[in-house]
Amino acid sequence: MKWFRRNNEPAWEVVGCEIVEPVFMFDGGDELDIVCIRGASMCGKYIFDFKNHAPNGAQCISAVLFARQQLLQQITTKNYNIMLLEGWTLTRLRQGKRYRIEVDYTGRPGYVSGKIPAFRPPPFIAVLDGQHTFS
């Protein structure tokens, strides 16, 4: 199978990338009654296109939050109700006057019986706050 792109279409240029490796979302103070943990992490890739303007920091945060919500919905279909580890990668791309954000969100699903602790924001989301994401 050949992979190709149109000759008249310019390639996407990587403008920036933020990576947050998966980290534990709960500490020793959280009393969780963990029933099971999935043997492997789950991940989802989400792409957001911007045709007329470069996305700002708030739009990048919204993209990460949306990706997290989509992954949470995906793990509930597999009978899990919490992500014990979470991490994400946000890649900013440019193609002429078009911009794109790619978010890869990773989590290790688990099932907790009893009361589920309140959801915390994605780890290190403040990295995106107030940034000029494109120059």
Side-chain angles (χ1 to χ4, degrees):
M1 173 184 267
K2 287 187 175 181
W3 294 97
F4 65 92
R5 67 177 169 83
R6 295 182 184 143
N7 290 335
N8 60 351
E9 184 177 310
W12 286 95
E13 171 189 1
V14 176
V15 178
C17 183
E18 282 82 22
I19 300 172
V20 175
E21 295 293 331
V23 296
F24 287 105
M25 294 302 291
F26 303 97
D27 56 18
D30 295 318
E31 294 192 23
L32 298 175
D33 187 15
I34 300 173
V35 176
C36 68
I37 299 173
R38 187 170 194 262
S41 295
M42 293 179 65
C43 61
K45 183 174 194 157
Y46 308 93
I47 298 173
F48 305 90
D49 286 323
F50 298 85
K51 294 184 182 190
N52 298 327
H53 70 284
N56 58 30
Q59 290 169 320
C60 290
I61 290 172
S62 294
V64 172
L65 291 172
F66 177 82
R68 179 189 200 206
Q69 185 61 38
Q70 291 298 109
L71 190 58
L72 282 168
Q73 287 179 358
Q74 186 180 351
I75 70 166
T76 57
T77 63
K78 306 220 183 283
N79 297 323
Y80 296 103
N81 61 359
I82 198 167
M83 284 195 287
L84 301 169
L85 292 168
E86 293 184 38
W88 52 270
T89 301
L90 184 134
T91 306
R92 297 180 311 272
L93 305 155
R94 178 176 50 209
Q95 183 187 56
K97 293 185 178 183
R98 296 171 50 199
Y99 297 92
R100 174 177 282 178
I101 296 174
E102 290 182 3
V103 178
D104 293 300
Y105 207 94
T106 303
R108 174 68 61 95
Y111 184 81
V112 175
S113 67
K115 185 179 178 187
I116 299 173
F119 283 108
R120 297 177 176 162
F124 304 105
I125 194 75
V127 168
L128 301 174
D129 195 21
Q131 282 191 2
H132 296 288
T133 55
F134 287 92
S135 329

